[in-house]
Amino acid sequence: TTTTTTTATMLTMLLARSVGSASLQTKAASASASTLRLRAACGARLPQLSSSVSLQQQEQLRPYGTPASEQKAAEKNSSSQEEGLPTDYRKHWREAPSWEKRYGGGRHAFPDWIEHLDRKMFYKIGFGLTALTATAGVGLGATSFAVVGLPTALFWFIGLRDINQTQHTIRRNFPVFGNIRYLFETIRPEIRQYFIESDDLQNPFSREQRSMVYQRSKLMTDTVPFGTRKQVYKPGFEWIHHSMYPTKVDYQKVRVKIGNKDCLKPYSAARLNVSAMSFGAISANAILALNRAALEGQFYHNTGEGSISRYHKQHGGDLVWNLGTAYFGARDKDGNFSPELFRSTIQATPSVRMIEIKLSQGAKPGSGGILPRQKITPDIAEARGVGFDRDVISPSTHTAFTGPRGLILFVRRLRELSGGLPVGFKLCVGRPEEFASVVKAMIEMDHYPDFITIDGSEGGTGAAPLEFTDSVGMPLVEGLTLVHNLLIGCNIRQHITLIASGKIISGFDLVKTIALGADVCNSARGMMFSLGCIQALKCGSNRCPTGIATQDEELQKGLVVEEKWKRVCNFQASTLRNAFKLIGAVGLSDPVDLEPEHIIRRVSEHRVMSYEAMFAKTTPGELLEPGNTSPFLREALAAAKSYGDFIVEASSVVVVVVVV
């Protein structure tokens, strides 16, 4: 109220002065005196009165019974107490400089000097350098003229080029000096990684994680002194419940048989393998090193969508042929699936142990891709079965089948064409009811894929638009848990091996993923780190400094295959060894006995939960019986749609229609 009244009084006095009304000025002074008396009664410090208030009126405003000298002393003490300063602080006061007043208020501690280096300053400096050059040429000789003239000419060249270009506003407005911004922007990732980034900042992998892979791949000591660096009371921290009676894992049980009743050639897989990375996305030397490691370490190597190249075949390591929507290696001239080419490729490559139909991948679920023709090398064209005259398109969906029944029929067809090899499909889980419809088709047709690969949305070896990378698809934990529980609830889990991929890099990651339902795990970026990847984040530029994610022959020379395959082998073996030690610490001798209850997660500062409590576990056949358990999975099954499915027989151009 006092503030409002004071404001009104000041406005009244200003109005009175502007119109020159003496009576109005008298009334304003009277109102001001009343306001000050109110503030004095409330204990507020009296401000200095306007000259319009007479001395007599000021005397009347003083609290009753207080002499004028005591009032002034009280005001002085009150002022200094309110400001928290000594009584005589004013004699120590220093007037703030003009630049501090201008750039104060939390915007800048110092003036923004770069804004003065505009075009006008460019011309001033340029003409000054020109004058200096002319003076040097006249008075000091040709040598001095060259020493000063070359920088001057370079200054004018860069500045005029910046002014005349139209792409960058900063360079046009601040010639020469504006390039400093782009210089710092270019080296920002390196500065951040080497000087600013903390050891546990996962962006996408922390320095601690990368160092662990480097140490294990080189067989260096990977123990950590002085305790954990993690914030154990921070939400998101995870650990495993150990046993008072640890045991040892039976190494005869560490491999997994992949292949159900319809498979003629089942495959015995390691628990950790090389995830899908295409030739073209990574270099020939990287392929050679990974495949040699797969051969020596007895684990498989997924080819990625780019099909089987000569480099995949050279060492003879076990391969999983990833067959994507473009059907590379098994496509006709129009890009459709060719059974004849598929069969001939299988017969020519005895190292192919399994076939994986790629529906989607974690890095870009629901999105296709394009390989520009300028990036197609002779080796890539040979491996993918494409020409050099056009861009190669990978559609977002398959053309050989559609719908859930079509998918299962295509699985059966590939198994027959391959001579009985295990066949499965890979996806990043999206709409639960769509996967539930595939489960329904399996049950109705009594035919099952040998394996299903669940790729988490945190997968990252495929380049994609930011929206797809950050905002599409289920992360691995949720996707794997949904698929695992749905298969158990429908009593078909025993027919299908579950493979999981998505930021699996340590023994704990492996144990956690197995506990959530996976039988086998794949790792892509972990294997890249063991090859020497430094997370330079230049995978899509063809300028990978380590020679891994590039087709530049000069950069590939830095990756020595004979050295790097050993490191991949060491990393895979060390990770498995530490994972099995963790399983033994839980008191288990077989990885299959791991359960979600063994993994604990802190969900808040004062609350922890096991994964079993977070994701209710189903029992075999539970979802096939009436009940109210697992409502989310029951809703997905109820929402599963029926589809009219078809398969196009390329050889006879006959359309077979199946109506559910």
Side-chain angles (χ1 to χ4, degrees):
T1 303
T2 305
T3 304
T4 305
T5 307
T6 306
T7 304
T9 302
M10 293 174 63
L11 292 175
T12 304
M13 295 178 67
L14 289 173
L15 179 61
R17 290 177 181 176
S18 64
V19 299
S21 173
S23 60
L24 193 57
Q25 290 185 25
T26 303
K27 291 180 180 180
S30 177
S32 178
S34 301
T35 300
L36 294 174
R37 183 181 295 281
L38 176 62
R39 295 195 65 196
C42 295
R45 180 169 60 88
L46 291 174
Q48 185 177 355
L49 298 178
S50 170
S51 58
S52 301
V53 183
S54 63
L55 293 176
Q56 182 179 2
Q57 289 172 324
Q58 294 184 39
E59 186 68 25
Q60 293 175 356
L61 291 173
R62 191 181 309 118
Y64 297 109
T66 304
S69 57
E70 294 181 10
Q71 175 66 20
K72 292 181 180 179
E75 290 177 3
K76 183 176 180 181
N77 291 335
S78 174
S79 174
S80 60
Q81 290 173 4
E82 283 187 359
E83 301 295 336
L85 297 171
T87 304
D88 57 346
Y89 76 94
R90 294 184 185 276
K91 68 180 182 180
H92 301 293
W93 184 258
R94 176 183 61 82
E95 185 72 14
S98 58
W99 68 264
E100 188 172 357
K101 290 181 179 179
R102 180 181 177 186
Y103 295 102
R107 291 198 304 145
H108 296 280
F110 292 98
D112 191 0
W113 53 269
I114 194 68
E115 71 179 16
H116 300 296
L117 300 177
D118 54 10
R119 296 189 192 187
K120 294 181 180 179
M121 182 59 70
F122 162 71
Y123 286 119
K124 290 180 181 178
I125 296 176
F127 288 131
L129 289 174
T130 303
L132 180 62
T133 302
T135 303
V138 173
L140 300 178
T143 303
S144 300
F145 176 78
V147 170
V148 181
L150 288 176
T152 302
L154 183 62
F155 181 84
W156 278 108
F157 172 76
I158 295 175
L160 293 176
R161 185 190 60 177
D162 290 343
I163 292 173
N164 292 318
Q165 60 84 34
T166 58
Q167 294 181 336
H168 301 287
T169 304
I170 296 296
R171 289 171 57 197
R172 282 176 63 86
N173 289 340
F174 304 95
V176 180
F177 305 103
N179 291 282
I180 298 174
R181 176 190 185 277
Y182 299 100
L183 172 64
F184 287 152
E185 192 176 62
T186 301
I187 63 175
R188 178 183 180 274
E190 287 77 13
I191 292 176
R192 178 177 177 83
Q193 183 177 114
Y194 292 119
F195 301 107
I196 300 175
E197 181 183 86
S198 63
D199 285 345
D200 59 352
L201 178 64
Q202 297 188 27
N203 193 23
F205 286 90
S206 69
R207 176 67 186 176
E208 185 179 63
Q209 290 174 313
R210 301 195 302 270
S211 297
M212 177 194 68
V213 177
Y214 301 150
Q215 291 164 355
R216 289 179 177 175
S217 64
K218 299 174 185 177
L219 296 181
M220 297 169 60
T221 302
D222 61 348
T223 55
V224 180
F226 224 65
T228 181
R229 272 75 162 166
K230 294 185 178 296
Q231 301 295 324
V232 298
Y233 294 103
K234 184 178 180 180
F237 177 72
E238 295 177 339
W239 69 93
I240 189 169
H241 271 339
H242 69 284
S243 171
M244 294 173 61
Y245 312 103
T247 184
K248 291 185 178 181
V249 173
D250 184 357
Y251 281 85
Q252 300 298 321
K253 300 179 180 179
V254 298
R255 298 188 74 86
V256 178
K257 176 187 173 183
I258 302 179
N260 56 37
K261 59 184 179 62
D262 298 314
C263 178
L264 301 178
K265 300 176 181 178
Y267 175 70
S268 177
R271 292 279 181 175
L272 181 62
N273 305 274
V274 180
S275 195
M277 292 179 283
S278 299
F279 172 54
I282 60 176
S283 66
N285 281 5
I287 295 290
L288 288 170
L290 291 172
N291 195 255
R292 176 70 184 277
L295 174 68
E296 301 294 340
Q298 299 183 348
F299 51 91
Y300 68 70
H301 175 195
N302 194 305
T303 65
E305 189 178 1
S307 189
I308 306 169
S309 69
R310 63 174 66 184
Y311 305 106
H312 288 96
K313 303 175 184 179
Q314 184 167 324
H315 294 299
D318 291 346
L319 295 175
V320 176
W321 184 5
N322 183 294
L323 195 64
T325 56
Y327 308 112
F328 293 128
R331 58 185 272 147
D332 60 21
K333 62 180 181 179
D334 296 321
N336 298 315
F337 176 72
S338 171
E340 292 77 15
L341 288 175
F342 177 83
R343 185 185 291 111
S344 63
T345 301
I346 291 292
Q347 293 173 352
T349 317
S351 57
V352 173
R353 304 299 185 184
M354 298 192 293
I355 312 296
E356 181 181 76
I357 305 167
K358 195 196 86 167
L359 302 180
S360 60
Q361 67 184 92
K364 49 180 178 180
S367 174
I370 181 171
L371 179 65
R373 60 182 178 180
Q374 59 267 26
K375 289 189 177 182
I376 301 177
T377 65
D379 288 341
I380 292 176
E382 178 189 34
R384 302 195 180 199
V386 299
F388 297 89
D389 58 336
R390 67 185 69 179
D391 297 340
V392 179
I393 306 297
S394 294
S396 58
T397 187
H398 282 265
T399 57
F401 66 89
T402 185
R405 281 181 173 265
L407 173 60
I408 302 306
L409 288 174
F410 194 59
V411 168
R412 177 188 295 175
R413 188 182 183 194
L414 293 185
R415 188 184 285 127
E416 293 172 354
L417 290 172
S418 65
L421 291 177
V423 180
F425 59 87
K426 168 185 176 179
L427 80 162
C428 176
V429 180
R431 297 172 60 180
E433 65 271 17
E434 290 187 348
F435 185 80
S437 68
V438 176
V439 173
K440 277 188 172 182
M442 296 178 194
I443 297 172
E444 293 170 2
M445 300 172 70
D446 192 28
H447 197 86
Y448 310 95
D450 297 292
F451 64 92
I452 299 175
T453 302
I454 307 300
D455 201 14
S457 62
E458 59 268 48
T461 57
L466 185 65
E467 292 84 357
F468 281 86
T469 299
D470 289 351
S471 308
V472 181
M474 281 192 191
L476 179 60
V477 169
E478 287 75 12
L480 175 61
T481 303
L482 184 147
V483 171
H484 176 62
N485 285 331
L486 191 57
L487 296 179
I488 290 177
C490 292
N491 201 27
I492 61 174
R493 178 66 174 85
Q494 66 275 14
H495 301 300
I496 302 170
T497 300
L498 284 185
I499 303 174
S501 57
K503 294 191 77 170
I504 298 172
I505 200 170
S506 70
F508 178 78
D509 296 334
L510 189 67
V511 170
K512 169 187 166 182
T513 307
I514 294 174
L516 293 177
D519 300 299
V520 175
C521 293
N522 291 343
S523 176
R525 286 170 288 185
M527 301 297 179
M528 291 175 68
F529 288 137
S530 66
L531 284 173
C533 171
I534 60 172
Q535 196 170 282
L537 305 181
K538 294 184 178 181
C539 306
S541 67
N542 202 37
R543 298 299 302 167
C544 171
T546 60
I548 299 173
T550 179
Q551 298 303 310
D552 188 299
E553 295 182 359
E554 290 300 317
L555 290 173
Q556 288 188 53
K557 292 178 180 178
L559 198 162
V560 181
V561 175
E562 288 302 315
E563 173 67 22
K564 299 300 183 180
W565 75 260
K566 300 174 185 176
R567 297 190 182 186
V568 176
C569 246
N570 293 338
F571 164 69
Q572 192 264 359
S574 297
T575 304
L576 282 179
R577 183 168 55 252
N578 283 280
F580 296 151
K581 286 181 179 179
L582 281 178
I583 295 171
V586 179
L588 305 175
S589 59
D590 192 339
V592 76
D593 296 326
L594 282 168
E595 296 289 344
E597 65 183 20
H598 293 124
I599 310 298
I600 311 300
R601 182 180 179 89
R602 182 174 294 281
V603 296
S604 69
E605 188 175 353
H606 304 292
R607 187 184 181 197
V608 300
M609 294 179 68
S610 70
Y611 272 97
E612 185 176 33
M614 286 191 284
F615 302 99
K617 184 179 178 180
T618 57
T619 57
E622 170 188 328
L623 300 177
L624 301 178
E625 303 294 335
N628 54 8
T629 57
S630 304
F632 177 74
L633 297 179
R634 291 182 182 275
E635 290 175 5
L637 280 171
K641 299 178 181 179
S642 298
Y643 296 86
D645 303 327
F646 63 89
I647 290 185
V648 179
E649 294 287 347
S651 58
S652 57
V653 198
V654 175
V655 179
V656 181
V657 179
V658 182
V659 179
V660 180

